[in-house]
């Protein structure tokens, strides 16, 4: 029993944590104005602040030992994020919870890792060498967020409807599921019309932290005009247009995005022409390589929102709500069909 409760506190998105909370704790928001919930609310604020500042929600053995507070703090954090209704905070919080969970999962034994996957609908079966097979649909639903070639189904060992992954890769796939789960939860409206005072105070603390972080970020003086492109893309394009030196990842995002939008290779090369290290032939080679015209015909995919966020380049606006991929911005589907994850 003790072990199970600790595990539920360590992974509070597991169904057993939810069951524990609904069985033992009054989670009605009205109860927040009664005594007894301060500690859980404080910890909920800490969860969100961890995500904002460290991009990872830490759960220490001390947190776990106070398991009731720990389990309760998770739904409270979701309520806080949902009530703040800021797209960036939603996304960074989901990423923070999933990243923390990933690191903890890597330290688990095989049995626990498989158990967590099973409970989250990412069922895996391990062989004697420690490799794990998962069904192709499950794999595809999660691996689409990774743009590296090794995640493409054609580059995997596939056997009788299953894909083989390493232990670490399995934990990465579960991380995606956790990220999606937390994000979806934060999209749900909070179940009250009048927000309790304590919740308002907790929200204020989080917003203040976020404002401070925003102020400390270098400004790229981007005007927020509405456009066809998602804000992440517009920002990079404006920096390129201004002749600022962009990172390798930013260039990859722009090139793959423009390729996916069907832009002409020469048009794409032109976008890079103001880069301080611009050389036409090298840029042409790289763009053609990304588009699959060179190097074995492999076309690179556009990084997912999650990856762009993890690289600090996500600046969501209202049209980003629920979007998991820049190509899905503004309600467009990717590859002609809506993404599930
Ligand atoms: S499209 Fe995705 S990555 Fe780009 S700004 Fe919107 S949410 Fe962020």
């Amino acid at each position: 029993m003790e072990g199970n409760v600790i595990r539920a506190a360590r992974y509070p998105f597991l169904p057993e944590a939810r069951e524990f909370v609904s069985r033992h704790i009054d989670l009605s928001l009205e109860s927040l104005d009664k005594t007894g919930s301060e500690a859980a609310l404080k910890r909920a604020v800490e969860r969100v602040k961890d995500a904002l500042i460290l991009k990872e929600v830490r759960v220490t053995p001390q947190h776990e030992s106070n398991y009731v507070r720990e389990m309760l703090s998770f739904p409270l954090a979701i309520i806080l994020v949902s009530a703040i209704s800021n797209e960036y905070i939603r996304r960074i919080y989901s990423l923070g919870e999933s990243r923390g969970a990933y690191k903890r999962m890597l330290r688990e034994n095989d049995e626990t890792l498989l158990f967590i996957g099973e409970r989250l609908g990412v069922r895996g079966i391990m062989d004697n060498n420690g490799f794990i097979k998962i069904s192709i649909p499950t794999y595809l639903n999660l691996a689409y967020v990774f743009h590296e070639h090794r995640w493409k189904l054609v580059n995997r060992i596939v056997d009788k409807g299953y894909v083989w992954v390493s232990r670490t890769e399995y934990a990465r796939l579960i991380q995606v599921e956790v990220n999606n789960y937390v994000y979806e939860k934060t999209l749900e409206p909070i179940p009250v019309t009048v927000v309790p005072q304590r919740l308002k105070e907790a929200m204020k603390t989080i917003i203040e932290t976020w404002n401070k972080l925003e102020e400390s970020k270098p400004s790229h003086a981007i005007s927020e005009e509405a456009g066809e492109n998602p804000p992440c893309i517009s920002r990079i394009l404006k920096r390129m247009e201004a002749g600022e030196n962009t990172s390798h990842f930013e260039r990859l995002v722009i090139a793959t995005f423009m390729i996916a939008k069907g832009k002409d290779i020469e048009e794409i090369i032109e976008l890079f022409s103001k880069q301080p290290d611009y050389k036409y032939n090298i840029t042409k080679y790289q763009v053609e390589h990304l588009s699959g015209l060179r190097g074995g015909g492999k076309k690179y995919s556009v990084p997912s929102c999650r990856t762009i966020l993890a690289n600090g380049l996500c600046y969501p606006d209202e049209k980003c709500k629920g979007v998991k991929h820049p190509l899905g911005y503004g309600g467009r589907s990717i590859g002609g069909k809506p993404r599930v994850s």
Side-chain angles (χ1 to χ4, degrees):
M1 167 65 186
E2 176 84 348
N4 291 352
V5 172
I6 296 290
R7 184 175 57 205
R10 191 176 298 160
Y11 303 103
F13 41 79
L14 287 176
E16 35 272 73
R18 292 202 296 274
E19 284 153 23
F20 185 94
V21 167
S22 61
R23 237 181 308 127
H24 294 93
I25 303 162
D26 177 10
L27 192 55
S28 64
L29 286 186
E30 291 76 15
S31 76
L32 282 178
D33 278 339
K34 297 178 201 153
T35 51
S37 54
E38 293 100 334
L41 193 56
K42 200 165 161 236
R43 172 69 182 131
V45 170
E46 191 179 274
R47 292 189 97 94
V48 185
K49 282 172 79 172
D50 258 12
L52 283 168
I53 299 165
L54 306 170
K55 316 276 184 288
E56 177 190 331
V57 176
R58 296 166 301 177
V59 178
T60 63
Q62 285 74 27
H63 291 132
E64 288 170 9
S65 63
N66 202 336
Y67 54 83
V68 173
R69 182 191 69 180
E70 194 61 13
M71 274 189 257
L72 183 55
S73 72
F74 175 69
L76 286 177
I78 298 267
I79 289 171
L80 285 173
V81 173
S82 170
I84 291 170
S85 196
N86 172 302
E87 190 58 24
Y88 180 78
I89 295 177
R90 258 191 211 115
R91 286 173 185 268
I92 204 76
Y93 174 61
S94 321
L95 181 76
E97 282 288 359
S98 69
R99 266 193 176 169
Y102 169 70
K103 288 199 179 166
R104 296 192 289 280
M105 281 189 284
L106 291 181
R107 295 194 292 267
E108 299 290 359
N109 61 29
D110 295 344
E111 192 193 341
T112 304
L113 179 64
L114 292 170
F115 174 85
I116 297 167
E118 173 98 37
R119 297 297 278 150
L120 295 175
V122 191
R123 185 164 179 264
I125 303 164
M126 191 178 272
D127 72 3
N128 293 334
N129 298 317
F131 281 91
I132 299 168
K133 64 176 184 177
I134 63 174
S135 78
I136 292 176
T138 305
Y139 179 86
L140 290 176
N141 269 345
L142 299 170
Y144 80 89
V145 303
F146 305 120
H147 67 281
E148 295 99 333
H149 272 316
R150 70 188 174 95
W151 290 100
K152 300 272 174 283
L153 197 57
V154 291
N155 298 322
R156 311 296 315 188
I157 298 174
V158 179
D159 182 36
K160 299 188 184 84
Y162 287 94
V163 186
W164 287 95
V165 294
S166 69
R167 215 177 171 283
T168 309
E169 289 170 336
Y170 183 59
R172 289 278 278 143
L173 292 168
I174 299 174
Q175 183 194 344
V176 176
E177 179 60 31
V178 173
N179 188 97
N180 290 347
Y181 172 79
V182 176
Y183 178 70
E184 300 293 339
K185 281 279 162 199
T186 63
L187 285 174
E188 290 174 9
I190 61 165
V192 283
T193 41
V194 182
V195 179
Q197 188 54 31
R198 285 194 194 164
L199 202 68
K200 280 189 191 158
E201 284 157 19
M203 286 162 64
K204 195 165 158 255
T205 311
I206 293 168
I207 293 167
E208 278 169 5
T209 304
W210 183 63
N211 285 340
K212 269 196 207 129
L213 289 168
E214 283 298 291
E215 279 164 22
S216 64
K217 274 188 193 168
S219 163
H220 294 309
I222 306 296
S223 64
E224 301 293 344
E225 65 204 34
E228 261 294 288
N229 291 326
C232 51
I233 300 292
S234 300
R235 286 207 168 219
I236 305 172
L237 285 176
K238 296 230 172 167
R239 294 189 56 214
M240 287 169 68
E241 179 57 33
E244 285 183 41
N245 196 13
T246 53
S247 68
H248 172 74
F249 182 75
E250 287 173 294
R251 296 178 194 201
L252 176 90
V253 170
I254 291 299
T256 52
F257 182 83
M258 294 303 163
I259 291 164
K261 298 283 271 183
K263 293 271 185 251
D264 186 77
I265 295 282
E266 287 301 324
E267 258 182 277
I268 302 173
I269 295 170
E270 180 61 26
L271 294 173
F272 292 92
S273 62
K274 290 189 182 156
Q275 288 296 284
D277 56 355
Y278 173 74
K279 288 203 176 57
Y280 175 82
N281 284 343
I282 295 175
T283 309
K284 184 169 190 286
Y285 177 86
Q286 286 167 339
V287 173
E288 286 181 350
H289 183 78
L290 292 172
S291 68
L293 294 171
R294 290 175 187 261
K298 285 175 191 164
K299 188 171 167 180
Y300 281 70
S301 49
V302 188
S304 65
C305 290
R306 199 174 146 280
T307 307
I308 294 173
L309 173 70
N311 280 275
L313 297 168
C314 171
Y315 302 90
D317 63 13
E318 263 310 293
K319 285 202 272 179
C320 289
K321 200 166 172 181
V323 169
K324 297 202 170 103
H325 197 280
L327 291 172
Y329 177 74
R332 287 184 296 272
S333 62
I334 307 159
K337 56 178 182 175
R339 275 289 178 193
V340 280
S341 55

